Amino acid sequence: MQPINALVFVGDGVLQGSEDFGYLSKAMAVASVAALGVLLNGQGIENVWAALIVLQVTRAAGLGWRYYGGQAAGGPWAEIAKDAD
């Protein structure tokens, strides 16, 4: 889980540096809902860990999409591509 956490923290930093706070708050809300669904689906410490994994994987997927998603995502790479045109 630590490598996924590292990717999420780096992605957060990049998008915070580009002042993309609106997207970060929406992505965190979606990831929280997904993790809450897993958390409420069972009991025990295994379920807590499963919810944390779902939270971080969902956040990593959202941040990766925003960062590498091109023009549709509107992330930092989209700005670089727009400047190159």
Side-chain angles (χ1 to χ4, degrees), residues 29-61:
V30 169
S32 297
V33 168
L36 187 61
V38 172
L39 186 63
L40 295 177
N41 199 19
Q43 294 179 341
I45 192 71
E46 296 87 6
N47 207 45
V48 173
W49 279 106
L52 286 171
I53 290 170
V54 167
L55 176 73
Q56 292 301 76
V57 168
T58 307
R59 289 183 67 204

Tab-separated table of all heavy atoms in Angstrom, residues 29-61:
chain	number	residue	atom	x	y	z
A	29	ALA	N	-14.000	13.460	-2.687
A	29	ALA	CA	-15.370	13.113	-2.309
A	29	ALA	C	-15.783	11.787	-2.947
A	29	ALA	O	-16.374	10.927	-2.277
A	29	ALA	CB	-16.325	14.231	-2.727
A	30	VAL	N	-15.453	11.590	-4.221
A	30	VAL	CA	-15.792	10.340	-4.904
A	30	VAL	C	-15.058	9.166	-4.264
A	30	VAL	O	-15.646	8.107	-4.005
A	30	VAL	CB	-15.466	10.440	-6.409
A	30	VAL	CG1	-15.549	9.091	-7.084
A	30	VAL	CG2	-16.399	11.433	-7.077
A	31	ALA	N	-13.770	9.345	-3.977
A	31	ALA	CA	-12.984	8.274	-3.353
A	31	ALA	C	-13.509	7.957	-1.950
A	31	ALA	O	-13.543	6.788	-1.547
A	31	ALA	CB	-11.514	8.669	-3.296
A	32	SER	N	-13.933	8.969	-1.228
A	32	SER	CA	-14.464	8.754	0.127
A	32	SER	C	-15.757	7.960	0.096
A	32	SER	O	-15.983	7.091	0.939
A	32	SER	CB	-14.688	10.092	0.823
A	32	SER	OG	-13.480	10.772	0.976
A	33	VAL	N	-16.618	8.261	-0.872
A	33	VAL	CA	-17.874	7.524	-0.995
A	33	VAL	C	-17.591	6.060	-1.324
A	33	VAL	O	-18.223	5.149	-0.752
A	33	VAL	CB	-18.788	8.181	-2.059
A	33	VAL	CG1	-19.964	7.284	-2.405
A	33	VAL	CG2	-19.286	9.527	-1.562
A	34	ALA	N	-16.641	5.812	-2.217
A	34	ALA	CA	-16.284	4.431	-2.555
A	34	ALA	C	-15.740	3.696	-1.336
A	34	ALA	O	-16.115	2.546	-1.067
A	34	ALA	CB	-15.257	4.428	-3.680
A	35	ALA	N	-14.868	4.348	-0.582
A	35	ALA	CA	-14.295	3.714	0.615
A	35	ALA	C	-15.361	3.496	1.690
A	35	ALA	O	-15.364	2.467	2.372
A	35	ALA	CB	-13.156	4.568	1.160
A	36	LEU	N	-16.265	4.439	1.828
A	36	LEU	CA	-17.332	4.299	2.816
A	36	LEU	C	-18.240	3.120	2.471
A	36	LEU	O	-18.689	2.391	3.353
A	36	LEU	CB	-18.144	5.592	2.908
A	36	LEU	CG	-19.198	5.668	3.998
A	36	LEU	CD1	-18.553	5.522	5.376
A	36	LEU	CD2	-19.958	6.965	3.903
A	37	GLY	N	-18.486	2.928	1.165
A	37	GLY	CA	-19.278	1.778	0.746
A	37	GLY	C	-18.638	0.469	1.147
A	37	GLY	O	-19.312	-0.458	1.595
A	38	VAL	N	-17.318	0.370	1.002
A	38	VAL	CA	-16.606	-0.846	1.411
A	38	VAL	C	-16.615	-0.981	2.932
A	38	VAL	O	-16.815	-2.069	3.471
A	38	VAL	CB	-15.160	-0.825	0.863
A	38	VAL	CG1	-14.342	-1.965	1.443
A	38	VAL	CG2	-15.166	-0.895	-0.648
A	39	LEU	N	-16.412	0.121	3.616
A	39	LEU	CA	-16.342	0.090	5.070
A	39	LEU	C	-17.668	-0.354	5.695
A	39	LEU	O	-17.679	-1.125	6.660
A	39	LEU	CB	-15.945	1.473	5.600
A	39	LEU	CG	-15.694	1.594	7.098
A	39	LEU	CD1	-14.519	0.719	7.504
A	39	LEU	CD2	-15.432	3.043	7.477
A	40	LEU	N	-18.764	0.109	5.145
A	40	LEU	CA	-20.076	-0.219	5.705
A	40	LEU	C	-20.575	-1.589	5.280
A	40	LEU	O	-21.613	-2.046	5.752
A	40	LEU	CB	-21.099	0.850	5.296
A	40	LEU	CG	-20.834	2.242	5.853
A	40	LEU	CD1	-21.865	3.220	5.315
A	40	LEU	CD2	-20.809	2.249	7.365
A	41	ASN	N	-19.827	-2.264	4.396
A	41	ASN	CA	-20.256	-3.541	3.857
A	41	ASN	C	-19.854	-4.731	4.740
A	41	ASN	O	-20.200	-5.860	4.430
A	41	ASN	CB	-19.693	-3.731	2.448
A	41	ASN	CG	-20.441	-4.765	1.669
A	41	ASN	OD1	-21.566	-5.102	1.989
A	41	ASN	ND2	-19.814	-5.282	0.635
A	42	GLY	N	-19.131	-4.497	5.801
A	42	GLY	CA	-18.710	-5.608	6.653
A	42	GLY	C	-18.189	-5.106	7.982
A	42	GLY	O	-18.322	-3.942	8.316
A	43	GLN	N	-17.582	-6.031	8.721
A	43	GLN	CA	-17.034	-5.701	10.026
A	43	GLN	C	-15.627	-6.252	10.132
A	43	GLN	O	-15.228	-7.141	9.386
A	43	GLN	CB	-17.900	-6.297	11.136
A	43	GLN	CG	-19.275	-5.715	11.219
A	43	GLN	CD	-20.084	-6.360	12.333
A	43	GLN	OE1	-19.774	-7.438	12.802
A	43	GLN	NE2	-21.139	-5.682	12.752
A	44	GLY	N	-14.873	-5.707	11.049
A	44	GLY	CA	-13.546	-6.229	11.320
A	44	GLY	C	-12.444	-5.344	10.753
A	44	GLY	O	-12.667	-4.469	9.930
A	45	ILE	N	-11.241	-5.622	11.223
A	45	ILE	CA	-10.087	-4.828	10.835
A	45	ILE	C	-9.743	-5.032	9.362
A	45	ILE	O	-9.243	-4.121	8.701
A	45	ILE	CB	-8.884	-5.124	11.761
A	45	ILE	CG1	-7.766	-4.100	11.567
A	45	ILE	CG2	-8.349	-6.526	11.512
A	45	ILE	CD1	-8.089	-2.746	12.106
A	46	GLU	N	-10.040	-6.222	8.832
A	46	GLU	CA	-9.777	-6.477	7.411
A	46	GLU	C	-10.600	-5.541	6.533
A	46	GLU	O	-10.128	-5.081	5.497
A	46	GLU	CB	-10.100	-7.932	7.046
A	46	GLU	CG	-9.247	-8.960	7.737
A	46	GLU	CD	-9.814	-9.375	9.095
A	46	GLU	OE1	-10.930	-8.947	9.447
A	46	GLU	OE2	-9.112	-10.116	9.800
A	47	ASN	N	-11.801	-5.261	6.977
A	47	ASN	CA	-12.673	-4.366	6.222
A	47	ASN	C	-12.166	-2.921	6.275
A	47	ASN	O	-12.298	-2.179	5.296
A	47	ASN	CB	-14.099	-4.454	6.758
A	47	ASN	CG	-15.110	-4.123	5.712
A	47	ASN	OD1	-15.001	-4.606	4.588
A	47	ASN	ND2	-16.082	-3.309	6.061
A	48	VAL	N	-11.599	-2.538	7.400
A	48	VAL	CA	-11.013	-1.200	7.502
A	48	VAL	C	-9.842	-1.072	6.535
A	48	VAL	O	-9.710	-0.066	5.819
A	48	VAL	CB	-10.569	-0.906	8.954
A	48	VAL	CG1	-9.796	0.401	9.038
A	48	VAL	CG2	-11.762	-0.885	9.884
A	49	TRP	N	-8.987	-2.088	6.484
A	49	TRP	CA	-7.858	-2.060	5.547
A	49	TRP	C	-8.334	-2.066	4.106
A	49	TRP	O	-7.771	-1.374	3.244
A	49	TRP	CB	-6.918	-3.239	5.806
A	49	TRP	CG	-5.988	-2.962	6.935
A	49	TRP	CD1	-6.055	-3.497	8.184
A	49	TRP	CD2	-4.876	-2.068	6.938
A	49	TRP	NE1	-5.040	-2.992	8.956
A	49	TRP	CE2	-4.299	-2.112	8.215
A	49	TRP	CE3	-4.305	-1.230	5.987
A	49	TRP	CZ2	-3.193	-1.358	8.570
A	49	TRP	CZ3	-3.197	-0.475	6.340
A	49	TRP	CH2	-2.657	-0.549	7.610
A	50	ALA	N	-9.365	-2.841	3.824
A	50	ALA	CA	-9.918	-2.869	2.461
A	50	ALA	C	-10.448	-1.492	2.070
A	50	ALA	O	-10.249	-1.036	0.935
A	50	ALA	CB	-11.021	-3.915	2.358
A	51	ALA	N	-11.099	-0.807	2.997
A	51	ALA	CA	-11.614	0.537	2.718
A	51	ALA	C	-10.475	1.518	2.471
A	51	ALA	O	-10.563	2.374	1.575
A	51	ALA	CB	-12.496	1.017	3.872
A	52	LEU	N	-9.393	1.410	3.240
A	52	LEU	CA	-8.238	2.289	3.020
A	52	LEU	C	-7.589	2.029	1.659
A	52	LEU	O	-7.179	2.965	0.967
A	52	LEU	CB	-7.209	2.092	4.134
A	52	LEU	CG	-7.572	2.700	5.477
A	52	LEU	CD1	-6.580	2.255	6.544
A	52	LEU	CD2	-7.615	4.209	5.387
A	53	ILE	N	-7.516	0.768	1.280
A	53	ILE	CA	-6.942	0.433	-0.025
A	53	ILE	C	-7.825	0.986	-1.142
A	53	ILE	O	-7.328	1.572	-2.104
A	53	ILE	CB	-6.733	-1.083	-0.145
A	53	ILE	CG1	-5.602	-1.514	0.787
A	53	ILE	CG2	-6.449	-1.488	-1.583
A	53	ILE	CD1	-5.466	-3.015	0.945
A	54	VAL	N	-9.134	0.821	-1.007
A	54	VAL	CA	-10.055	1.360	-2.018
A	54	VAL	C	-9.929	2.882	-2.086
A	54	VAL	O	-9.919	3.460	-3.186
A	54	VAL	CB	-11.510	0.929	-1.713
A	54	VAL	CG1	-12.510	1.728	-2.533
A	54	VAL	CG2	-11.678	-0.552	-1.973
A	55	LEU	N	-9.816	3.528	-0.945
A	55	LEU	CA	-9.657	4.988	-0.925
A	55	LEU	C	-8.422	5.408	-1.709
A	55	LEU	O	-8.487	6.273	-2.589
A	55	LEU	CB	-9.565	5.489	0.524
A	55	LEU	CG	-9.305	6.989	0.681
A	55	LEU	CD1	-10.555	7.776	0.319
A	55	LEU	CD2	-8.860	7.308	2.093
A	56	GLN	N	-7.285	4.795	-1.422
A	56	GLN	CA	-6.040	5.207	-2.058
A	56	GLN	C	-5.989	4.818	-3.539
A	56	GLN	O	-5.485	5.585	-4.356
A	56	GLN	CB	-4.845	4.638	-1.307
A	56	GLN	CG	-4.676	5.251	0.077
A	56	GLN	CD	-4.480	6.751	0.057
A	56	GLN	OE1	-5.411	7.518	-0.141
A	56	GLN	NE2	-3.253	7.175	0.250
A	57	VAL	N	-6.500	3.655	-3.888
A	57	VAL	CA	-6.503	3.247	-5.299
A	57	VAL	C	-7.430	4.151	-6.107
A	57	VAL	O	-7.096	4.565	-7.222
A	57	VAL	CB	-6.891	1.760	-5.431
A	57	VAL	CG1	-7.188	1.394	-6.872
A	57	VAL	CG2	-5.783	0.879	-4.878
A	58	THR	N	-8.582	4.487	-5.543
A	58	THR	CA	-9.504	5.390	-6.229
A	58	THR	C	-8.893	6.771	-6.384
A	58	THR	O	-9.012	7.393	-7.437
A	58	THR	CB	-10.842	5.471	-5.462
A	58	THR	OG1	-11.336	4.159	-5.249
A	58	THR	CG2	-11.867	6.272	-6.227
A	59	ARG	N	-8.228	7.253	-5.354
A	59	ARG	CA	-7.556	8.553	-5.455
A	59	ARG	C	-6.443	8.514	-6.492
A	59	ARG	O	-6.295	9.441	-7.288
A	59	ARG	CB	-6.980	8.956	-4.095
A	59	ARG	CG	-8.051	9.341	-3.094
A	59	ARG	CD	-7.455	9.797	-1.793
A	59	ARG	NE	-6.744	11.061	-1.993
A	59	ARG	CZ	-5.760	11.486	-1.217
A	59	ARG	NH1	-5.357	10.753	-0.210
A	59	ARG	NH2	-5.179	12.637	-1.455
A	60	ALA	N	-5.658	7.437	-6.500
A	60	ALA	CA	-4.568	7.318	-7.480
A	60	ALA	C	-5.120	7.294	-8.900
A	60	ALA	O	-4.554	7.929	-9.803
A	60	ALA	CB	-3.744	6.059	-7.202
A	61	ALA	N	-6.223	6.584	-9.109
A	61	ALA	CA	-6.822	6.526	-10.447
A	61	ALA	C	-7.322	7.900	-10.881
A	61	ALA	O	-7.097	8.322	-12.022
A	61	ALA	CB	-7.963	5.516	-10.451
